[in-house]
Amino acid sequence: MTLKIDRQAYYWPALFGFAILFFANFVANPIFVSHDNWRPVLLGAAPFIITTWAQTVPIMSGNGDLDLSVGPLAGLVNAIAAVTLPSLGLTDPFSMITIALGIGVASGLLNGFLVTIVRVQPIIATLGTFLTYQGLTLEVLPTAGGSAPPWMRVISGESFGVPGIVWVFVIIAVLWWLLGKTAYRRNLLAVGGDIRAAYTAGVNVTAVRIVAFVIAGVLASVTGLVFTATLGSADPTVGAPYILTSIAGVALGGVAFSGGRGGLLGAAAGGALLFLIENLFSLAQVSIYYIQIAYGSILLAALALNSITDRIRRRKAAAALV
Amino acid sequence: MSVAATNHLSAEATAPAPIASFRALRRNFGETIALADCSFAIEPGEIHALVGENGSGKSTLIKILSGILPQSGGELVWNGQVANFDNPRAAQKAGIATVFQETLVLDQLSVRDNVVLGLDHLFRRVLSNAEETRLVRQALDTIGMATLGTETPVAALSLAQRQGVTIARALLRPWRLLVLDESTSALDVDARDRLFEALRRFRAEGRSILFVSHRMDEILDIADRSTVLRSGRSVATLTRGQTSTETLLELMSTHEEAEAAEGAVAAKIRRAIGAPVFEAKRVAIRAESAAFDLTVRAGEIVGIAGLEGHGQVAFIEAIAGLRRPARGAVETERGAVTSFGNAARAGIAYLPRERKTEGIFAPLSVLDNLTIAALRRFSHFGLLAEARRRAEGARLIKQSHVVAPGLTAPVAALSGGNQQKVFLGRQLALRPRALVLNDPMRGVDLGAKQDIYKILEQFASDGGAVLLLSTELAELCLLCDRVAVFHNHALFAVIGRESLDAQALIAAMFGQAAAAGRQL
């Protein structure tokens, strides 16, 4: 379960694509890599990357699991953090972070419960929560407004020459790495790989899938806090676009939609890729509508690539069984 | 798991209490009764065989015992207490380790991950990496697979090795009852012997084994007692002295043909042998393996045998156009076979091994399942001539000896054997010149086997060619005009009718040229 250099690893195409687009951005605008530009670039990329991470975990648990509510949940947390909590006088970091993450856990439990216990199709169950969160967000905050407490500059600002958002990435990566040291990652890959094999071997498949949704919820909430810090306020429309990009990012990241293969490295590259494309489009001053077309096409291309590599892998596995 | 203490009033504690006993255990799925009335006990320190046709309730019983299904009635008594295992984990905790019929492994995970799977809690690991590796090696060593790399991804393993992984997974658990549900089918003889040796050791330690096998020799070899299930009822429990192939067959079968099954030789009909239907020319299965020729003619039944993973499956898949051989070609009257489509056009119909996943369409009707491959025959400008299709369906049901409530019944409602006959009927609907069959009698009950034998003999008598890969040697001896035996990914010997018996086949499978009476 350790990180080894493996040429066959799922994340290489994503890293390769990332490298190419990074270079393209640099060519289009050499300032892109300048030190002053790091902070805004990373803050812009953060919602892409963190929502993709959130999406990755349920998708890795297979069985059609995915979470359409990650974007809207991030938007809801953004509204609550910038409007509701300040109105209640809760602006200290501890309360805000605890409440935000608590909302994420609750949302994950709800989605997981609907999917594994009530057995609603994941795409329908999370479509339901997605619409609910959208409605709640507009209830809390009909138009853009609210304000971020000053401590959030830790995230949006810079300390010791390092953008604060980097620490958010590092904390998530370290926690994921630690999770990989526990039994959870193996259980997750097993449930995603073949739920019957996992179940008969004695894995608590329901718990594994619910926890996957909880991780998605928590990461979506983190995105909500990042929105708050970046915008300095809240915007009810900020979350929804990240539903599509989180799924596209997962596909670009080489994570198998059938489950059982993937990780945060590929997903990060996949999410970052989408940001780089958007950035490239805005540098070229292309209309925002074309970005939608590009995302849609990229999603389809990534899914096609995903299924082709899946087929090649399966053929190789079959050849080994001769 | 809910365990209620029973009134354990036993004053006469003479015999050791059974580790597990079943009392009038019952299970139905809607209208279908899978287990009607099953009562027997497993003693500590015994190897107990569970014998029965397909659909006799063995798998259902094992699923109840392993916590996968709840029973509909009756009691399961485990270690003196009435037990209901809510999930496999609960059964494992109680000390029941099960190896299921299917090789349930995870391709992307390593051998070690696959073997220890399920021991852990949701987050907490029970063993360190080093301990895991050591215990996995030890478990694999029990079945002679100690050389298997613990970090190798399971995707790279052969079927036999995968089965070894599932057995090791069960052995690693702290069990008091080991349940083996046809778990030796893919193992080669050496691994099986090692496993049996281990089972005897476990028995000496006072641990118990519940053993399901379709192989009489295995049961006679290893079982202390055998319980026979028939139509969901336990009809008898025999001690070692009482057990013989004949008795078991008689008890488990309601068919008169039972005696004509394994071992017994049916009357041989001499068939007219005609022109070649397909020819394998200078075919090499792997780049490095030897090339060979094999011609199959009209009216012939040619058997294919070999130890697991010796290239015989790849060969028949090449005949069916599912893969290309490394060298050489498969020729038919209508040109070389290069794809599944053109093999089909050349009149080669292929029956895959996995009926459930590669064969039947469970929600569709018997009629749809029979005719789905041959719809073109009933189509007028893209519309189906339903009356003709039904008539053909009725004819196929008769030809394939299918027992079904009707043409429109869902195929899932049929027994496994009847599903297999429907699946075979679908190939017959194509009016093929050759049938290529990948282990069609595997896991099929005796009655259905007899019917399939008849279908194949009729097909050959009518001038068809049959290529039959089978893992049951008695069956090959019974049916085939000659048997091609594979060894090391090449044709090793072709054994003709005159010298065809199980011993010659085994000798050839093990690469013993002289004993096999080798002909090429």
Side-chain angles (χ1 to χ4, degrees):
Chain A
M1 290 289 163
T2 50
L3 189 73
K4 282 180 224 150
I5 299 300
D6 177 0
R7 280 169 206 282
Q8 299 283 312
Y10 76 94
Y11 45 76
W12 281 120
L15 290 181
F16 183 66
F18 172 78
I20 289 177
L21 271 162
F22 190 89
F23 185 70
N25 271 277
F26 169 68
V27 171
N29 178 19
I31 296 168
F32 183 69
V33 293
S34 73
H35 181 264
D36 289 347
N37 205 35
W38 273 109
R39 200 177 54 84
V41 162
L42 287 171
L43 280 173
F48 285 90
I49 293 174
I50 305 174
T51 53
T52 302
W53 277 344
Q55 193 64 266
T56 300
V57 190
I59 285 179
M60 276 175 74
S61 80
N63 307 295
D65 289 1
L66 88 174
D67 189 350
L68 295 182
S69 70
V70 288
L73 179 62
L76 178 61
V77 169
N78 172 225
I80 289 174
V83 178
T84 314
L85 296 186
S87 74
L88 297 170
L90 294 166
T91 51
D92 62 296
F94 179 79
S95 311
M96 289 189 76
I97 292 173
T98 311
I99 291 168
L101 298 188
I103 293 169
V105 170
S107 165
L109 289 174
L110 175 64
N111 283 327
F113 173 77
L114 289 172
V115 167
T116 63
I117 315 247
V118 189
R119 303 208 180 193
V120 183
Q121 285 287 328
I123 199 162
I124 303 297
T126 58
L127 182 66
T129 50
F130 146 34
L131 293 170
T132 310
Y133 297 159
Q134 286 272 56
L136 283 173
T137 309
L138 288 168
E139 180 65 34
V140 172
L141 178 79
T143 52
S147 66
W151 68 265
M152 282 207 161
R153 260 174 250 136
V154 174
I155 298 173
S156 58
E158 219 169 287
S159 45
F160 311 111
V162 181
I165 188 69
V166 169
W167 299 114
V168 177
F169 290 138
V170 168
I171 290 168
I172 295 172
V174 167
L175 288 176
W176 177 254
W177 178 76
L178 285 174
L179 194 66
K181 296 271 158 198
T182 72
Y184 184 72
R185 187 154 182 270
R186 178 156 68 197
N187 286 334
L188 179 70
L189 289 170
V191 170
D194 184 345
I195 195 164
R196 291 174 319 141
Y199 180 68
T200 55
V203 175
N204 187 343
V205 297
T206 306
V208 169
R209 289 172 72 189
I210 291 177
V211 169
F213 281 105
V214 168
I215 294 173
V218 167
L219 288 171
S221 296
V222 171
T223 313
L225 291 176
V226 171
F227 281 146
T228 316
T230 314
L231 301 170
S233 63
D235 179 345
T237 63
V238 78
Y242 291 98
I243 304 166
L244 187 68
T245 61
S246 71
I247 296 170
V250 168
L252 287 171
V255 178
F257 269 72
S258 48
R261 178 168 55 99
L264 292 200
L265 182 57
L273 255 171
L274 291 166
F275 166 75
L276 291 172
I277 291 163
E278 193 198 60
N279 199 51
L280 203 57
F281 272 56
S282 61
L283 281 174
Q285 292 183 329
V286 179
S287 151
I288 187 82
Y289 303 116
Y290 287 101
I291 295 181
Q292 296 282 346
I293 297 172
Y295 282 161
S297 321
I298 289 161
L299 176 61
L300 291 175
L303 286 174
L305 194 73
N306 216 306
S307 77
I308 290 168
T309 46
D310 253 13
R311 205 178 314 158
I312 292 169
R313 269 170 1 103
R314 240 177 292 139
R315 201 171 299 160
K316 273 187 189 159
L321 269 179
V322 172
Chain B
M1 188 179 97
S2 56
V3 178
T6 51
N7 39 348
H8 206 53
L9 302 166
S10 64
E12 63 270 83
T14 43
I19 180 75
S21 53
F22 308 98
R23 294 179 188 159
L25 209 60
R26 195 163 56 72
R27 168 76 203 193
N28 47 287
F29 298 95
E31 303 265 295
T32 319
I33 297 167
L35 206 57
D37 175 11
C38 180
S39 305
F40 69 96
I42 303 165
E43 306 293 338
E46 79 161 338
I47 300 177
H48 197 118
L50 192 58
V51 193
E53 280 191 73
N54 255 60
S56 60
K58 298 180 309 254
S59 297
T60 308
L61 179 74
I62 284 169
K63 281 179 185 159
I64 294 171
L65 184 59
S66 311
I68 291 175
L69 286 175
Q71 69 263 39
S72 312
E75 282 182 342
L76 160 61
V77 180
W78 171 253
N79 203 19
Q81 293 188 309
V82 175
N84 288 299
F85 303 121
D86 292 335
N87 54 55
R89 195 172 178 84
Q92 283 178 24
K93 270 206 183 126
I96 299 168
T98 307
V99 186
F100 295 94
Q101 195 173 354
E102 274 176 279
T103 44
L104 292 164
V105 288
L106 295 149
D107 276 357
Q108 326 79 326
L109 295 187
S110 68
V111 167
R112 172 167 64 87
D113 286 338
N114 264 282
V115 172
V116 301
L117 189 69
L119 279 183
D120 294 325
H121 300 265
L122 185 58
F123 293 104
R124 193 161 62 78
R125 281 177 64 170
V126 173
L127 302 164
S128 70
N129 281 354
E131 285 171 317
E132 280 181 0
T133 305
R134 188 177 61 78
L135 289 170
V136 169
R137 284 244 167 78
Q138 200 181 324
L140 287 169
D141 187 43
T142 315
I143 42 174
M145 293 188 183
T147 51
L148 210 58
T150 53
E151 301 307 314
T152 316
V154 162
L157 303 189
S158 74
L159 185 57
Q161 290 169 323
R162 284 158 187 249
Q163 196 158 53
V165 166
T166 63
I167 295 171
R169 184 190 291 160
L171 292 176
L172 201 71
R173 269 130 248 259
W175 56 271
R176 295 176 63 196
L177 173 65
L178 178 67
V179 183
L180 298 169
D181 187 1
E182 282 193 64
S183 335
T184 51
S185 57
L187 292 186
D188 64 31
V189 177
D190 178 52
R192 200 188 65 181
D193 289 347
R194 298 278 303 250
L195 175 65
F196 283 6
E197 241 172 73
L199 295 185
R200 293 193 176 97
R201 266 201 321 276
F202 297 141
R203 174 174 63 187
E205 292 165 9
R207 301 206 270 179
S208 312
I209 291 121
L210 183 65
F211 180 80
V212 176
S213 173
H214 274 309
R215 294 189 185 172
M216 294 297 155
D217 54 336
E218 291 185 351
I219 292 160
L220 296 175
D221 180 21
I222 199 162
D224 298 314
R225 293 195 301 159
S226 307
T227 293
V228 180
L229 287 188
R230 188 172 70 211
S231 312
R233 290 168 201 283
S234 47
V235 290
T237 298
L238 307 175
T239 60
R240 194 175 179 82
Q242 298 168 317
T243 314
S244 69
T245 309
E246 297 74 39
T247 335
L248 289 176
L249 285 176
E250 205 181 302
L251 280 169
M252 77 169 101
S253 174
T254 50
H255 297 266
E256 290 165 354
E257 300 103 313
E259 281 175 284
E262 304 181 22
V265 178
K268 227 32 211 181
I269 308 158
R270 275 279 142 226
R271 289 179 295 261
I273 305 296
V277 175
F278 58 83
E279 297 176 78
K281 285 187 174 162
R282 308 307 305 155
V283 162
I285 292 160
R286 289 187 171 178
E288 72 278 8
S289 59
F292 60 87
D293 297 324
L294 185 71
T295 302
V296 178
R297 295 166 186 281
E300 253 191 327
I301 301 181
V302 176
I304 298 286
L307 294 173
E308 176 69 37
H310 277 256
Q312 63 275 28
V313 173
F315 174 70
I316 69 162
E317 286 181 349
I319 299 287
L322 287 169
R323 66 164 78 224
R324 303 290 293 273
R327 277 176 282 134
V330 177
E331 306 270 356
T332 70
E333 217 172 55
R334 293 177 208 176
V337 170
T338 52
S339 69
F340 188 70
N342 94 8
R345 281 190 289 279
I348 297 174
Y350 175 69
L351 186 94
R353 180 182 160 101
E354 304 295 337
R355 178 180 68 240
K356 273 196 186 132
T357 54
E358 304 175 322
I360 58 149
F361 299 96
L364 296 188
S365 70
V366 171
L367 177 64
D368 289 340
N369 268 283
L370 280 167
T371 55
I372 199 157
L375 288 180
R376 192 171 296 177
R377 279 174 52 198
F378 314 108
S379 123
H380 280 299
F381 306 106
L383 297 176
L384 285 179
E386 197 56 22
R388 275 209 352 252
R389 191 168 78 102
R390 288 181 156 272
E392 175 68 359
R395 193 189 66 74
L396 286 167
I397 279 199
K398 204 172 280 174
Q399 190 186 354
S400 327
H401 304 266
V402 174
V403 182
L407 277 174
T408 50
V411 81
L414 272 53
S415 72
N418 276 304
Q419 289 182 11
Q420 186 74 356
K421 286 185 273 179
V422 168
F423 191 22
L424 189 56
R426 183 193 302 163
Q427 317 306 327
L428 296 174
L430 295 166
R431 297 179 179 153
R433 306 181 64 215
L435 279 175
V436 176
L437 312 167
N438 188 348
D439 216 356
M441 263 69 83
R442 173 170 167 265
V444 168
D445 63 82
L446 290 175
K449 272 185 193 174
Q450 293 292 323
D451 290 335
I452 295 173
Y453 296 165
K454 284 181 206 154
I455 299 167
L456 298 184
E457 290 194 330
Q458 190 58 49
F459 180 77
S461 301
D462 294 344
V466 179
L467 190 66
L468 170 68
L469 183 146
S470 175
T471 46
E472 295 190 28
L473 302 184
E475 187 172 284
L476 291 172
C477 297
L478 186 72
L479 284 172
C480 297
D481 297 294
R482 53 203 171 100
V483 177
V485 185
F486 282 72
H487 186 69
N488 284 340
H489 303 280
L491 181 61
F492 179 76
V494 177
I495 301 174
R497 185 77 235 157
E498 56 291 341
S499 49
L500 187 57
D501 60 27
Q503 263 171 314
L505 288 176
I506 290 171
M509 283 158 72
F510 280 86
Q512 307 293 316
R518 185 175 183 182
Q519 299 170 332
L520 254 180

